[in-house]
Amino acid sequence: MPMIVDALARSEDDAAVRGLIDAFGGDPVEVRDGRFGEPAVRSRRLSFASGGEIILRDGIVNAAILHLMPTSFAPQGISLGEWVAPLRNDATLADLKTVFGERWGFAQGGSRYFTLDACYVRADDKRGGGLRSLAFLVDDPKPTCRPEDDLCPTCSDLLVRDDRGAVAIDGTVDALAAGVDAGELKEEIGSPVALADLRLVHASGLLEWVESHVSCTACARVMCFTLYRDSDPTFGYYPMDVAWSRPHDPIPPVEEWGDARRIAEVHDAMRYVDHEPGSWFLVEQRGDLYLDARYAINSMVDDSALIRLDESELRQYEQRGHDYLNELARRVNDEGPHREESPFRGRDLTRHPTDARKYQESFSAAIANHTWAASLKHSAARRRRANESADD
């Protein structure tokens, strides 16, 4: 293990790194090299027939990985005991603790990792249990993406550059949109700005920066494409929980930045009206009101039903407002729309035979900036503004 730890955070021509390369078997059987993100990072991945791997970022060793199972480049996998005595390939969590200590947590994707004085060690399990690999890392694996995903073939080369090497905004937005349409990417519900609106909001100059979030279905990283009022764009990769906690300012009304077509679309779409945290949301579309109310199926599982308010319910809402919706949401919960006999089952638009997905997507878009995650983003933005004011 000391040989691995000594090679971390060193350049490829450093003696410690050359020693690790020799110990892994000398010449790698596979080398992958490329750039990702903006500012661009060069990632270089050296794979050895022994089952070892070294990943460098901008010429510096960022990770060394011991693959215990056969891979495309290592027919047998590595023997853990030769590198981390006294561990064996069938080591348990208790065994890992005896070597790496008690300071452990969960990394992105659910893998356990240990915090050592000199590095981090991530233990990846195989399906059905047992170790698949050990990764020795420079960066904390909880708030960062896996180095193995640097050159993900699905998402690492989506950033488009012009002839001068600068970020091509139109080309990049189009590439991301094409990936979403192909099902290879997913536009995140709750993205600060919808991908289709990114250029319009940016062009308005109303905000210091605007950002869209799109996730990769292959590696699960979230791409944050950020356009700044007074500086060059950035294109970063983040774990999902880190991406949605990034601060951003609320988006101004569409009338302040949209073109005629976009303004008409927004006016015709569902829009947020009110909500009770953890219980219900109220949205409106073309004069109709829709209540999305959560209900319990059992002590472990809940769901929600989206119902259009009928005339009687509309009158009650006009008279009693928020309090009436609390009462109606309790009725939905008590009646349980998952049951065949529930009077709300047939009214639940998420069960609509042909338009269920349309209703769900429209509702999700309407409340995107009013969810718990969005509230954390807004709080972070307020703290940032307060800190900037204090600095001034």
Side-chain angles (χ1 to χ4, degrees):
M1 187 170 77
M3 179 179 288
I4 297 175
V5 175
D6 287 347
L8 294 175
R10 297 178 184 272
S11 64
E12 189 171 352
D13 57 1
D14 186 275
V17 178
R18 300 311 307 175
L20 180 59
I21 290 174
D22 290 340
F24 275 160
D27 293 335
V29 296
E30 185 175 294
V31 177
R32 279 168 283 180
D33 204 327
R35 296 193 306 168
F36 68 95
E38 177 62 29
V41 175
R42 181 192 176 194
S43 181
R44 179 170 164 84
R45 185 171 182 173
L46 312 178
S47 304
F48 301 86
S50 63
E53 277 197 303
I54 298 174
I55 299 177
L56 303 98
R57 288 178 175 170
D58 291 334
I60 303 298
V61 175
N62 185 262
I65 305 169
L66 305 178
H67 292 275
L68 313 185
M69 304 293 295
T71 69
S72 60
F73 55 85
Q76 294 185 345
I78 214 160
S79 176
L80 184 56
E82 296 178 2
W83 290 89
V84 189
L87 294 179
R88 303 189 312 178
N89 286 31
D90 60 355
T92 65
L93 176 60
D95 296 330
L96 296 177
K97 287 181 179 179
T98 63
V99 174
F100 301 127
E102 296 289 336
R103 291 188 298 166
W104 68 277
F106 287 102
Q108 299 301 321
S111 296
R112 294 180 176 89
Y113 77 98
F114 295 83
T115 302
L116 280 59
D117 291 338
C119 67
Y120 301 90
V121 180
R122 191 190 70 226
D124 296 319
D125 293 335
K126 59 186 177 183
R127 290 183 180 179
L131 278 177
R132 186 178 77 248
S133 63
L134 278 184
F136 293 78
L137 308 165
V138 171
D139 299 322
D140 187 338
K142 186 172 180 61
T144 58
C145 295
R146 296 162 56 94
E148 299 97 310
D149 294 327
D150 284 355
L151 302 180
C152 171
T154 300
C155 69
S156 64
D157 60 353
L158 291 170
L159 182 68
V160 179
R161 299 180 183 276
D162 61 24
D163 294 339
R164 298 178 292 106
V167 174
I169 294 175
D170 289 345
T172 300
V173 170
D174 291 345
L176 292 171
V180 172
D181 291 342
E184 296 178 341
L185 309 177
K186 179 182 178 183
E187 186 164 5
E188 288 297 307
I189 297 297
S191 173
V193 180
L195 189 59
D197 295 333
L198 185 65
R199 286 169 285 192
L200 285 171
V201 180
H202 172 60
S204 73
L206 294 170
L207 298 176
E208 183 179 345
W209 75 78
V210 293
E211 183 171 279
S212 290
H213 295 176
V214 179
S215 61
C216 176
T217 59
C219 69
R221 293 184 299 176
V222 176
M223 290 153 276
C224 297
F225 188 28
T226 313
L227 307 182
Y228 296 87
R229 182 196 295 151
D230 300 316
S231 56
D232 295 332
T234 60
F235 192 97
Y237 293 81
Y238 302 91
M240 183 172 294
D241 57 346
V242 175
W244 65 248
S245 65
R246 287 168 61 83
H248 70 87
D249 292 326
I251 306 305
V254 66
E255 291 81 5
E256 297 183 24
W257 52 264
D259 55 22
R261 179 190 61 81
R262 188 67 182 108
I263 291 173
E265 287 178 351
V266 170
H267 287 175
D268 204 38
M270 282 187 177
R271 65 176 184 86
Y272 166 86
V273 177
D274 194 6
H275 82 286
E276 178 67 26
S279 180
W280 55 262
F281 278 91
L282 184 71
V283 297
E284 181 270 343
Q285 185 177 36
R286 295 191 292 272
D288 290 326
L289 291 178
Y290 299 82
L291 181 73
D292 182 85
R294 300 208 67 79
Y295 63 89
I297 296 176
N298 55 47
S299 60
M300 300 292 291
V301 179
D302 65 0
D303 202 349
S304 66
L306 182 65
I307 63 171
R308 182 188 291 110
L309 300 192
D310 61 25
E311 291 185 6
S312 174
E313 292 162 345
L314 284 171
R315 286 195 298 271
Q316 289 288 330
Y317 172 63
E318 290 171 357
Q319 296 170 8
R320 301 170 53 197
H322 192 100
D323 289 341
Y324 172 69
L325 296 181
N326 283 335
E327 178 183 305
L328 181 56
R330 284 194 294 271
R331 284 177 50 205
V332 172
N333 179 68
D334 294 343
E335 296 286 354
H338 61 291
R339 297 193 293 265
E340 292 287 346
E341 66 274 15
S342 171
F344 294 104
R345 184 179 179 86
R347 299 177 60 189
D348 182 5
L349 296 173
T350 66
R351 300 175 184 273
H352 194 283
T354 58
D355 294 333
R357 182 175 180 179
K358 181 188 73 173
Y359 280 116
Q360 290 171 329
E361 291 177 348
S362 297
F363 169 74
S364 295
I367 69 166
N369 288 319
H370 302 275
T371 61
W372 174 71
S375 69
L376 292 183
K377 291 182 180 181
H378 297 328
S379 296
R382 287 194 294 271
R383 289 195 298 271
R384 174 181 52 77
R385 289 194 296 270
N387 291 337
E388 290 173 352
S389 298
D391 292 339
D392 293 340

